[in-house]
Amino acid sequence: MKFDRPVTGGPCWTELGTSDLEGAKRFYTELFGWRPETDPRQEAGGYTVAHLGDAAVAALTPLYQESQPVAWNVSFAVTDADAAARRVEEAGGTVVLGPMDVFDVGRFTVALDPTGAVFQLWQARSFPGAGLFNAPGSLGWVELATRHTERARDFYTTVFGWSVSASQWYTQWGIDGEDFGGMADMGERFPPEVPPHWMPYFAADDVDAAAEVAQRAGGAVVLAPVSVPDGPRIAVLRDPQGAAFGVHLAGEEG
């Protein structure tokens, strides 16, 4: 992505809901070199922040509801979570949870877009979001997979004011033209039971090596490393608990 800090309207954080918190800690530590720190407070529910050096880069959490899937989620920065939640509903989306305060760190909302993809809103207080972007092991791109791309484009441009750069094959999202993510048409490439979803891509020094490490650590390769025409080298991986995520070559963008 073309910015290196949380920007209003852009992705500011990503967190994994997992069925095996300790297993996820081991896997992502081996893959990315993360240093996970679990909040010891009972009311934090096992929330774990992963660091690279002193920078927070992502979170790992237990599943808080039986219906919650094992999956990565993406949060977008807003200045007013309540106002943003109203925009979501006015544009045809659904507020699933919140807005609600999270200690003194921020205000949080879980929402569903009109095509069925879950995303999150984050109004920062003491915690702005990730402290590192685009470096190996940190968030570098986010991607929406959906079966209704036109409806999604109308929704997100209305809610966030994103700029759109579209080709025949791919749509890129931006803020004032500074791209941070994209949208892919699920078409027939995904089984019908796979819902629309947002997925983070983490930067890597070597995409092929990352795929090998993921497999060795008990994960799987969903999309083998490939160089996208006029784009980055990427792979899509799955962790041992089943959560999918992408990796892309550091220094290259979608």
Side-chain angles (χ1 to χ4, degrees), residues 4-18:
D4 58 5
R5 57 185 174 82
V7 172
T8 300
C12 62
W13 191 238
T14 185
E15 58 186 32
L16 170 69
T18 181

Side-chain angles (χ1 to χ4, degrees), residues 10-201:
C12 62
W13 191 238
T14 185
E15 58 186 32
L16 170 69
T18 181
S19 57
D20 181 358
L21 181 59
E22 294 305 316
K25 289 181 188 180
R26 291 191 296 270
F27 175 80
Y28 289 100
T29 295
E30 182 170 352
L31 179 60
F32 293 133
W34 288 352
R35 175 174 55 82
E37 294 184 359
T38 300
D39 191 321
R41 293 173 291 184
Q42 184 175 359
E43 59 269 32
Y47 197 87
T48 299
V49 175
H51 299 78
L52 284 172
D54 294 329
V57 291
L60 312 172
T61 78
L63 299 180
Y64 296 127
Q65 301 178 16
E66 289 185 5
S67 60
Q68 183 182 350
V70 173
W72 279 97
N73 297 293
V74 176
S75 295
F76 297 94
V78 296
T79 56
D80 185 329
D82 296 78
R86 289 193 292 272
R87 290 198 302 273
V88 164
E89 293 182 324
E90 290 167 358
T94 304
V95 172
V96 179
L97 177 67
M100 60 183 292
D101 291 330
V102 182
F103 303 117
D104 62 346
V105 297
R107 193 158 172 80
F108 173 72
T109 306
V110 180
L112 194 68
D113 76 20
T115 78
V118 175
F119 65 101
Q120 300 172 168
L121 306 171
W122 180 251
Q123 177 188 337
R125 288 175 179 156
S126 63
F127 181 72
L132 186 67
F133 291 88
N134 305 317
S138 68
L139 187 65
W141 192 253
V142 295
E143 185 177 82
L144 171 66
T146 180
R147 297 180 177 87
H148 302 284
T149 54
E150 290 188 9
R151 184 69 186 92
R153 182 184 60 199
D154 291 344
F155 173 78
Y156 288 103
T157 54
T158 297
V159 172
F160 295 112
W162 292 346
S163 55
V164 176
S165 175
S167 69
Q168 181 180 359
W169 308 110
Y170 197 68
T171 295
Q172 295 195 166
W173 306 113
I175 297 174
D176 297 328
E178 297 293 307
D179 293 341
F180 61 79
M183 175 172 62
D185 189 338
M186 296 177 75
E188 298 180 354
R189 296 182 298 121
F190 290 79
E193 65 271 17
V194 176
H197 57 275
W198 280 94
M199 186 175 73
Y201 278 75

